[in-house]
Amino acid sequence: MKNPISYGILLTAFGYMLFTAHDSAVKLLVVTIPVWQVLFLRSCAILAGCFVYEGPSLVRKVARSPVVKPMIVRSMLLLVAWISYYSAAQYLQLAEVTTLYYAAPIVGTILATIVLREKVTVARWMAVGVGFCGVVIASNPVGVSISWPVYLALQAAVLWATGMVLLRKTALHEKSHIQMAVSNIMLILMTGTMAILHWKTPTTYELILLCSTGIFAGIGQLALFEGMRQAPVSVLAPFEYTSLVWAFGLGYLIWGDVPKINTVLGAALILSAGLIIIFSERRRRVSVV
């Protein structure tokens, strides 16, 4: 890539594509396998990959890492975010919980200006707004009122956005695979007891899906961590919306869900949000040169 921001955008979009594939596999799994077990085994697979890459020195590097404390906090935030999201999804329609959850890029952009002191341009705010409008049109939520599940979905969005801001703060101070190791060690510790208590021996088909969640999440995390090292949160936030486009595609391929006209229009707006960022950042580079 010609510049770090373009590289960060590419990695982030790729990461969210893999996270969408991961979520599809999880959706197939949680019908028969407890979510605690899925999260536990997924984190075990990612940690094993980090160990293979780094070798025995991984233990020493993790113990001496300067980002251990913020990564522990981030892991706790993400676990609560996932629990909140899955709990809300039990009571809300998919369109409702999706739209509420995609408040995360807006919250992330706001936090980036406060916590990271990022200068958010008009184009970046426009991209976040256009992307969110695309999500609302594509998801077509109706009748959403304030309730406990709605609060949980919004809580998940705020916690996820906070976790992304923490990731940006730590990304510049530690290698991505070390951060991944710290994060997944914490998730293993936090989900291990519940996974054992609710353990279900997987079938061959389920075992293949469990392995795929580790692969998708591991590569996706690496792409997201590296993307955060290259570009500001306010630049990358709108690209989280692209996962909805991938979700519609996988929904059609796996479950035969045919996108409606509002879905197509919403997807076009989501892609437009990404193009706004790409062209605005290109113009900024040209003006600087």
Side-chain angles (χ1 to χ4, degrees):
M1 301 295 292
K2 293 182 179 180
N3 61 84
I5 290 182
S6 297
Y7 187 41
I9 289 173
L10 180 62
L11 285 172
T12 301
F14 178 62
Y16 282 122
M17 180 189 72
L18 291 176
F19 286 144
T20 305
H22 163 270
D23 290 344
S24 298
V26 171
K27 183 177 180 179
L28 292 170
L29 279 168
V30 293
V31 176
T32 53
I33 301 291
V35 66
W36 296 101
Q37 185 176 344
V38 175
L39 294 174
F40 174 77
L41 293 176
R42 186 202 68 171
S43 292
C44 287
I46 296 173
L47 183 60
C50 293
F51 187 83
V52 169
Y53 179 82
E54 184 64 37
S57 63
L58 179 67
V59 178
R60 173 176 52 83
K61 291 183 178 181
V62 166
R64 296 181 179 179
S65 175
V67 302
V68 169
K69 290 183 179 180
M71 288 302 292
I72 290 175
V73 173
R74 179 178 179 272
S75 299
M76 296 173 66
L77 290 175
L78 292 187
L79 181 61
V80 177
W82 287 331
I83 293 173
S84 300
Y85 180 82
Y86 288 128
S87 298
Q90 294 178 12
Y91 303 99
L92 297 174
Q93 295 180 5
L94 180 60
E96 295 172 344
V97 73
T98 297
T99 303
L100 292 168
Y101 179 74
Y102 275 113
I106 299 175
V107 177
T109 303
I110 295 172
L111 289 176
T113 64
I114 299 172
V115 179
L116 302 177
R117 306 297 182 185
E118 291 183 7
K119 294 181 179 179
V120 183
T121 63
V122 174
R124 294 177 188 177
W125 281 117
M126 186 183 300
V128 171
V130 169
F132 185 71
C133 289
V135 171
V136 173
I137 292 173
S139 301
N140 193 27
V142 292
V144 178
S145 59
I146 299 299
S147 62
W148 180 247
V150 170
Y151 166 78
L152 288 176
L154 290 173
Q155 175 176 273
V158 172
L159 292 175
W160 174 260
T162 306
M164 291 302 99
V165 172
L166 277 176
L167 178 57
R168 174 62 179 175
K169 285 183 71 72
T170 60
L172 301 177
H173 302 288
E174 185 59 275
K175 295 179 180 178
S176 294
H177 65 281
I178 302 298
Q179 296 186 74
M180 290 170 60
V182 175
S183 178
N184 285 283
I185 287 172
M186 287 305 304
L187 288 173
I188 288 172
L189 294 175
M190 290 187 290
T191 60
T193 301
M194 293 296 291
I196 293 172
L197 290 176
H198 297 88
W199 185 269
K200 178 185 179 299
T201 303
T203 63
T204 302
Y205 169 71
E206 292 168 341
L207 189 60
I208 292 173
L209 284 178
L210 285 167
C211 291
S212 70
T213 61
I215 294 172
F216 290 144
I219 300 176
Q221 282 185 20
L222 181 60
L224 186 62
F225 280 46
E226 284 295 317
M228 286 290 177
R229 289 168 64 89
Q230 305 296 328
V233 172
S234 56
V235 171
L236 300 179
F239 290 90
E240 185 172 349
Y241 295 132
T242 60
S243 59
L244 187 61
V245 180
W246 295 113
F248 291 143
L250 288 176
Y252 174 74
L253 292 175
I254 299 175
W255 292 280
D257 298 335
V258 179
K260 298 179 181 179
I261 185 63
N262 64 290
T263 300
V264 177
L265 292 175
L269 282 175
I270 292 169
L271 293 176
S272 298
L275 292 176
I276 290 172
I277 288 291
I278 292 171
F279 286 118
S280 66
E281 293 301 319
R282 180 175 294 180
R283 287 188 61 185
R284 289 186 67 196
R285 291 196 303 273
V286 171
S287 62
V288 170
V289 175

